Amino acid sequence: ATNKVGTSYGNQVSFTTLPELVSSNNCNSLGGFFTKVEQGTPDGSQSWYIDAGYINNGLKVTSCFGGYVEFSMNLSSITKMIFWAKGSRPSVTVDGTLINTTMIQEANNNWMQLKTQDIASGAHTIKIDFPRIPAYRTIYVDEIEFYEY
């Protein structure tokens, strides 16, 4: 700090800035998503729909063996995708290639927040996939966000 009395120096401080949010989808609509359900009942009547998510509304399917949501994303920089899921831990593929995810946190009612490894800039097809298991379950996806790190 400098003023009319002189200059004084304080302690050196380090900090890390938060990543920049570059795109998000709060999952309040099925618009832009291609969805699939691994049927659990003989009539195959299950489908993804909008219901209570982690924050406000999200994507949900009940009484299924698994399923996925897929969407297109055009990224102008290298990003990581962060999203909420519930029902089991999903895998994530980008353009058909499996990428690593890490759990950031677990929240109330078995919601988990996951973060992917870096996703390159460009146009991509991204799939959040809950693999088929031989048991009924309800699965959710909510708050899909892309951050520039």
Side-chain angles (χ1 to χ4, degrees), residues 30-36 48 68-72 126-128:
L30 286 168
F33 289 103
F34 175 78
T35 62
K36 173 144 176 41
W48 287 88
Y68 64 80
V69 296
E70 186 176 79
F71 56 96
S72 296
I126 298 173
K127 182 191 289 186
I128 301 172

Side-chain angles (χ1 to χ4, degrees), residues 23 72 81 149:
S23 183
S72 296
M81 182 176 77
Y149 278 79

Side-chain angles (χ1 to χ4, degrees), residues 22 27 36 42 45 66 71 97-98 102 107 110 124 127:
V22 294
C27 299
K36 173 144 176 41
S45 62
F71 56 96
T97 301
L98 183 66
T102 55
N110 299 316
H124 300 289
K127 182 191 289 186

Side-chain angles (χ1 to χ4, degrees), residues 25-27 33 48 52-60 69 71 81-90 92 102-116 128 130 139-145 147:
N25 185 327
N26 60 12
C27 299
F33 289 103
W48 287 88
Y54 181 71
I55 299 175
N56 297 318
N57 293 321
L59 309 180
K60 178 180 180 180
V69 296
F71 56 96
M81 182 176 77
I82 296 176
F83 66 100
W84 288 93
K86 181 178 175 182
S88 67
R89 187 167 175 170
V92 175
T102 55
M103 187 173 310
I104 299 172
Q105 65 177 316
E106 288 186 81
N108 294 337
N109 301 320
N110 299 316
W111 280 97
M112 63 190 88
Q113 189 179 37
L114 301 167
K115 176 174 68 174
T116 68
I128 301 172
F130 296 83
I139 52 181
Y140 303 79
V141 174
D142 199 9
E143 303 300 320
I144 302 169
E145 300 172 329
Y147 288 92

